[in-house]
Amino acid sequence: MTAHLQFDPIRLPPECETLRTDVRAFLAEEVAAGTFDPHQPGHGDAYNRGFSKRVGAKGWIGMTWPKRYGGHERSQLERYVVTEEFRAANAPAHLHFVADRQSGPILLKYAPEHIKQDILPRICRGELCFAIGMSEPGSGSDLFAAKTKATKTDGGWTINGSKIWTTSAQIADYMLALFRTSPPTKENRRHGLTQFLVTMKSPGIVVNPIRQMTGKAGFNEVVFTDAFVPDDHVLGEIDGAWKQATSELAYERSGPERFLETFYVMLELIRALGPEPDLRGAEGLGRLVAQLHTLRRMSVSVAGMLQAGKEPVVEGSIVKDLGTIWEQKLPNRVRDLAAFLEPEILNRATLEDQLAFATMVAPKLTIQGGTTEILRGIIARGLGLR
Amino acid sequence: MIAEAAARIFADLADPQTINRAKNGAWKEPLWRALSAAGLPLAWVPENLGGAGAGVAAGFAILGVAGRFALAVPLAETLAAGWVLARAGIEAPATPMTVAPARPRDRIAIDADGRLSGRAIGVPFAQEAEHIAVLAESGKERTIALVAAKDCRLGDARNLAGDAANVVTFERVRPLRSAPAPHGFDRAALLLIGATIRSVETAGALEAILSLSVEYANQRIAFERRIGKFQAVQQNLARLAGEVAAALAVSSSAADTIAQADTFDEAVFLEAASAKIRAGEAATEGAAIAHQVFGAIGFTQEHVLHRFTLRMLSWRDDFGNESYWAAELGEHVARRGADEFWPLVASR
């Protein structure tokens, strides 16, 4: 066998179900209090400081991290339950989600002790928002072509250049960014980039919002002009960020957020079809159910492997590849299946509103966090083709 | 363990390349003898009923390996038949067997004297089986019956891969043994176990296809490069890996569910129906991609690829196709309503 893909039938342990009950009760209270409307994903602010703090108080941010940094030492599978319940309910978790998913784990691994003690407990309390500074105007998927420069100076580094498509930068407290500290070498074009922790309020950083085609201001250009980053904000090896990138990919790419982004249109379709759909509606819905169940079982399986300390990079990339394509196609499948429904069905306005939003959001799903093409390159490498 | 024993036997006696070159079916007899000697065909039959009592999970593991060899003897069907007979406490004969009905619309009736009538189409390997395990119905009563294949009328029919898939007609056939089916065991349950079996085999076949395709892409030279170096080919193979992964994940999940379940409840229905739908879709996509990678050579009789692709494409139609199960699943989900949908998905 050239390739061996592993997707064991991992089941969530019983403690996850107790937790799930708590999470659902919490979300129901938040909905009742008017914090968010699960049926209106396109409306309202996905960043909600009050909500994130209440989530933190519940102990649902930094769940897997050590207690001495404010974490809760719970399992990846428990974190999985919280993530999927939040996602399925359209809970406004943008503020803390990136910090919880990837920035925190990177800091845990590479930040000096005093920084960990300062920042991680605040992430766990839902107080901090993180942005990721990777893409630049001249480099997107080609991550290692980044040019924004960090030049050594007294006690730290001076940053010049710009990052782009930076989600959350408009409100972020910190950014984890890749800056060029040396030119690439002939032997290794990935050499020369270093990972930094940037305090967004530092002088010399200007954030310019970029309006998306949905009408929302979701991402930004971040311009650095002689911005200063102190030495103790260097994360990991200087010039060696490329060695640090791969193991995080499985975390970032295999979660339930990679196939549930447009899930609300499926729920609304079920509402629209009613208890006795015609054969076309039933068959179309059934296929979507089977596909969703499959994606979730794959995703849980990867979470189980992460919990077991494995690094399922190929499996994680496969989940994101299949998952994002599925959630991207979902609005159109729902549109097709709803085409012959009676005009006077009760939730038509909601369904149409949701479809409009999901259809506009759909193109970005296979771009953000690693494009389809990049993912397939990673999978091909895992298969032994490159 | 038992799956490794199966793999050794298949490697020795069921090598797809060798079988593809064989002029006749002479390879079947020694293969079946070796499988029987290892207790594999009756793995799902408890020891007190004449079987190996290997457990549900072990049986599915054997079938995954069988899929990787595109096995063309009624091992899966005999396993299924033994399992069905065991539900009713009927001792399994040590012969090749199959099960009926194998399609959702077929029904076998049992009359007051215990004779069976009806027709089942696409019964896999019926003409190579000595016995058929039948689920027969009379009103709400269900009976499990052991029937001699020679007592039935068999129409000559084959699936895409050339394996027997007969129309079996029962004309007042007297079963050799019969007993009431246990509570909750109905046609849907028979179809669900059959569907899971085919999904597991399909995932195995897809694994083999991926392996063959990657190996070929790393050898074949075109435009002065190995074709696996072209991004277009790499993207196709990555897509194939995705389909393999999906089939593997959903079928192993369904098999695990059946292995853990006491009854054919909603969990089994969701898992097994989803597995049949998604593995069937993966077979469709996966076969097309693999043939694209191999080009003309993969379209020849001589090449081994069709042993896998045609077999798994045929398996899509056994025990309910994708559309059948999708309609069943869609109706079920719609009946439960939107608010109950996420809890159902998350319960697995």
Side-chain angles (χ1 to χ4, degrees), chain A residues 140-324:
Chain A
S141 288
D142 188 5
L143 189 62
F144 295 100
K147 287 196 173 71
T148 297
K149 227 171 161 176
T151 315
K152 191 71 192 90
T153 179
D154 228 14
W157 301 76
T158 306
I159 315 297
N160 279 290
S162 55
K163 292 290 174 183
I164 201 165
W165 321 134
T166 316
T167 303
S168 304
Q170 76 278 13
I171 61 150
D173 303 283
Y174 293 98
M175 173 194 278
L176 293 191
L178 289 183
F179 297 131
R180 182 152 299 285
T181 41
S182 298
T185 59
K186 250 193 176 145
E187 302 73 40
N188 185 2
R189 66 182 294 272
R190 300 188 293 172
H191 172 87
L193 291 174
T194 304
Q195 194 162 34
F196 288 87
L197 169 68
V198 180
T199 308
M200 289 299 282
K201 290 183 184 71
S202 324
I205 301 177
V206 175
V207 177
N208 302 312
I210 301 170
R211 197 154 288 280
Q212 299 181 334
M213 69 189 228
T214 56
K216 294 192 175 287
F219 50 32
N220 306 271
E221 179 193 43
V222 183
V223 182
F224 300 86
T225 311
D226 291 330
F228 177 76
V229 179
D231 276 329
D232 62 2
H233 281 42
V234 170
L235 301 175
E237 195 179 319
I238 290 171
D239 293 341
W242 60 278
K243 296 177 202 164
Q244 295 161 211
T246 53
S247 63
E248 277 105 42
L249 294 180
Y251 286 87
E252 193 196 328
R253 290 181 168 157
S254 62
E257 70 276 15
R258 297 308 188 184
F259 53 92
L260 290 175
E261 191 92 9
T262 55
F263 173 65
Y264 49 86
V265 296
M266 190 169 170
L267 283 183
E268 213 55 46
L269 173 71
I270 298 172
R271 240 169 240 126
L273 288 172
E276 289 177 354
D278 65 10
L279 187 57
R280 179 172 175 273
E283 200 256 0
L285 173 61
R287 285 200 186 238
L288 293 174
V289 173
Q291 292 157 357
L292 173 62
H293 165 74
T294 304
L295 287 167
R296 182 174 175 281
R297 296 296 300 135
M298 296 172 82
S299 178
V300 170
S301 184
V302 173
M305 288 188 255
L306 292 172
Q307 177 60 30
K310 297 179 192 166
E311 287 188 6
V313 173
V314 174
E315 283 85 351
S317 298
I318 286 176
V319 172
K320 181 168 189 273
D321 182 20
L322 291 182
T324 53

Side-chain angles (χ1 to χ4, degrees), chain A residues 1 5 7 11 20 85 271 274 277 282-283 286-287 291 293-294 296-298 322 373 376 383-386, chain B residues 214 218 229 234-235 239 242 245 248-250 252-253 256-257 271 278 281 323 326 330 334 339 342 346 348:
Chain A
M1 298 283 281
L5 299 170
F7 283 92
R11 301 284 166 196
R20 191 188 298 283
E85 289 296 327
R271 240 169 240 126
E283 200 256 0
R287 285 200 186 238
Q291 292 157 357
H293 165 74
T294 304
R296 182 174 175 281
R297 296 296 300 135
M298 296 172 82
L322 291 182
E373 290 79 359
R376 290 182 181 170
L383 292 174
L385 291 162
R386 43 195 297 185
Chain B
V214 169
N218 273 332
K229 292 289 161 201
Q234 290 179 357
Q235 296 263 321
R239 277 179 55 222
L248 210 52
V250 76
S252 63
S253 184
D256 172 68
T257 303
E271 293 262 5
R278 190 61 186 87
E281 291 175 347
S323 295
D339 294 337
W342 173 252
R348 300 310 305 151

Side-chain angles (χ1 to χ4, degrees), chain B:
Chain B
M1 302 148 337
I2 193 159
E4 284 153 21
R8 276 194 300 275
I9 295 171
F10 298 148
D12 287 347
L13 299 169
D15 170 53
Q17 198 69 259
T18 312
I19 288 175
N20 201 40
R21 281 193 221 107
K23 300 264 185 291
N24 55 41
W27 53 273
K28 286 190 181 181
E29 205 274 327
L31 170 61
W32 190 261
R33 203 171 342 110
L35 294 174
S36 300
L40 300 179
L42 297 185
W44 275 343
V45 175
E47 286 172 4
N48 64 336
L49 293 174
V56 176
F60 280 120
I62 295 168
L63 291 172
V65 181
R68 274 183 243 153
F69 284 83
L71 196 74
V73 291
L75 177 63
E77 293 73 13
T78 304
L79 272 164
W83 186 85
V84 169
L85 294 172
R87 294 312 93 190
I90 298 174
E91 202 166 314
T95 62
M97 293 189 281
T98 189
V99 291
R103 301 278 166 109
R105 288 178 186 281
D106 294 343
R107 214 157 300 212
I108 314 298
I110 181 161
D111 63 21
D113 334 323
R115 290 174 186 266
L116 308 181
S117 298
R119 196 182 66 143
I121 67 170
V123 178
F125 289 106
Q127 77 185 46
E128 295 181 28
E130 269 182 50
H131 295 96
I132 307 177
V134 179
L135 180 71
E137 295 166 77
S138 161
K140 289 201 158 156
E141 305 288 300
R142 299 180 199 94
T143 302
I144 290 171
L146 176 68
V147 171
K150 65 175 172 43
D151 293 340
C152 310
R153 192 149 54 82
L154 264 54
D156 191 24
R158 294 187 174 274
N159 68 15
L160 296 172
D163 296 337
N166 311 88
V167 179
V168 179
T169 309
F170 300 84
E171 290 164 335
R172 294 182 50 75
V173 172
R174 179 166 296 286
L176 304 173
R177 299 277 310 276
S178 69
H183 180 73
F185 187 80
D186 54 8
R187 207 145 29 87
L190 174 60
L191 290 173
L192 286 169
I193 188 127
T196 305
I197 287 171
R198 287 298 189 245
S199 310
V200 169
E201 292 178 295
T202 297
L206 279 164
E207 283 188 287
I209 285 169
L210 176 64
S211 187
L212 287 171
S213 301
V214 169
E215 192 181 294
Y216 182 72
N218 273 332
Q219 288 168 358
R220 171 72 178 173
I221 308 281
F223 306 100
E224 296 165 357
R225 292 202 263 173
R226 286 180 280 155
I227 62 168
K229 292 289 161 201
F230 290 97
Q231 282 202 350
V233 176
Q234 290 179 357
Q235 296 263 321
N236 272 342
L237 287 168
R239 277 179 55 222
L240 175 57
E243 295 303 311
V244 176
L248 210 52
V250 76
S251 64
S252 63
S253 184
D256 172 68
T257 303
I258 290 180
Q260 312 291 335
D262 300 324
T263 55
F264 279 75
D265 57 7
E266 187 181 37
V268 172
F269 170 64
L270 169 69
E271 293 262 5
S274 295
K276 193 61 168 51
I277 295 165
R278 190 61 186 87
E281 291 175 347
T284 306
E285 290 294 311
I289 297 170
H291 278 291
Q292 192 69 21
V293 170
F294 278 93
I297 190 71
F299 194 63
T300 61
Q301 185 73 57
E302 182 189 340
H303 197 276
V304 77
L305 184 60
H306 64 79
R307 285 198 70 79
F308 297 92
T309 56
L310 293 179
R311 208 152 261 114
M312 76 182 183
L313 291 174
S314 291
W315 288 338
R316 294 177 305 176
D317 293 323
D318 295 344
F319 305 106
N321 61 23
E322 300 93 294
S323 295
Y324 169 78
W325 284 116
E328 293 283 308
L329 194 52
E331 278 171 20
H332 180 85
V333 164
R335 219 168 20 243
R336 282 181 61 119
D339 294 337
E340 291 302 309
F341 177 55
W342 173 252
L344 174 66
V345 173
S347 70
R348 300 310 305 151

